[in-house]
Amino acid sequence: MKKFLLTLFISGACLAASAQLEGSKQVFESPQLKTEIAKHKVIAILPFNTKITYKKQPKNFSQEANREQEKTMSKSIQSSLFTFLLRKASNYSVTFQDVEKTNILLKKAGMLDKMDEFTKDEVAKALGVDAVLGGDFITEQTKSEAGAIASAVLFGGFGGKTGTGTLTLTLNDGNGDLLWRFFKTMNDNITTSTDDLVEHMMRKVSRNFPYAK
């Protein structure tokens, strides 16, 4: 009986943990999506617009340090997404520009870390690609004080299993038109790294990802 109750408890805990990862999902597809993506060959993945907030602001909180952490996470999510897509390249009808090349070209064009000052068609032209894949990630850390910062450092720019977040992916063609948008919320116990975050997100996106064969 004790073994049965223990098994039941563990099963319930696993289901609860899984449920905590799940949040609302919204997908938008332009009527021109299929027509336009058939013309695409090379896609660039942009640094993500990232925002880190705290439910309870840590002691000795530094706005400057927080901004630097947001920049680190921005490029970390970009790199993780590129790695994921590269691993599964045979599943997609396009190729993805190396993110190092993307960021160098953005820097040369004076766009890096200033993405909100440029239109998507300007960005695509500077990168020499057919479309740009970007997004936003907003997280609220629920760990208190130094624990949140320590976790953020340990987990490569992400505050561990102690926050909530919303993640948006957008695809704009070379004219700047929005072709596709994916939005998902994630509850407590979201993940421990940007690789895990992207892996979880892309499992949910897979059926709707525009370039999937």
Side-chain angles (χ1 to χ4, degrees):
M1 183 66 175
K2 287 183 179 180
K3 288 183 178 180
F4 172 76
L5 291 174
L6 179 61
T7 301
L8 190 62
F9 173 78
I10 293 173
S11 298
C14 291
L15 287 171
S18 176
Q20 284 179 315
L21 277 166
E22 302 304 321
S24 62
K25 179 177 74 172
Q26 300 172 15
V27 181
F28 162 79
E29 292 185 358
S30 165
Q32 288 76 43
L33 176 64
K34 291 184 178 180
T35 303
E36 291 302 314
I37 65 173
K39 308 171 187 176
H40 297 171
K41 294 181 179 179
V42 183
I43 311 303
I45 303 167
L46 305 179
F48 275 59
N49 178 30
T50 305
K51 183 72 175 176
I52 303 172
T53 61
Y54 295 94
K55 191 171 184 178
K56 181 181 179 182
Q57 196 171 89
K59 287 181 180 179
N60 303 318
F61 175 80
S62 166
Q63 189 65 49
E64 183 179 350
N66 198 62
R67 281 196 297 269
E68 287 302 312
Q69 190 64 42
E70 289 172 343
K71 288 181 182 179
T72 299
M73 187 186 291
S74 169
K75 293 181 177 65
S76 183
I77 296 175
Q78 176 196 26
S79 179
S80 291
L81 181 55
F82 175 64
T83 300
F84 179 93
L85 295 172
L86 201 62
R87 281 190 359 242
K88 300 179 180 294
S90 61
N91 295 339
Y92 306 119
S93 59
V94 294
T95 58
F96 299 93
Q97 187 177 77
D98 188 288
V99 291
E100 287 189 13
K101 179 178 180 178
T102 296
N103 291 344
I104 289 171
L105 291 174
L106 288 174
K107 188 174 182 179
K108 285 182 177 180
M111 296 178 172
L112 194 64
D113 301 326
K114 296 180 181 179
M115 300 298 295
D116 58 342
E117 298 179 17
F118 299 90
T119 60
K120 290 297 193 296
D121 57 312
E122 291 175 325
V123 175
K125 184 177 180 180
L127 296 175
V129 295
D130 301 307
V132 291
L133 183 65
D136 302 276
F137 182 65
I138 302 172
T139 177
E140 180 183 72
Q141 299 296 312
T142 56
K143 249 186 186 177
S144 61
E145 304 174 357
I149 298 174
S151 291
V153 173
L154 285 171
F155 297 120
F158 194 58
K161 297 184 178 181
T162 54
T164 61
T166 61
L167 196 147
T168 306
L169 270 178
T170 56
L171 177 70
N172 294 75
D173 65 16
N175 295 318
D177 296 328
L178 179 64
L179 296 180
W180 177 82
R181 181 181 185 272
F182 175 89
F183 171 86
K184 182 161 179 60
T185 61
M186 296 181 181
N187 300 319
D188 287 341
N189 282 341
I190 39 183
T191 188
T192 57
S193 72
T194 52
D195 285 342
D196 290 339
L197 171 69
V198 168
E199 189 83 28
H200 178 71
M201 174 193 69
M202 291 305 292
R203 285 202 302 268
K204 300 302 177 184
V205 171
S206 58
R207 293 181 182 178
N208 305 105
F209 194 63
Y211 299 112
K213 290 181 180 177

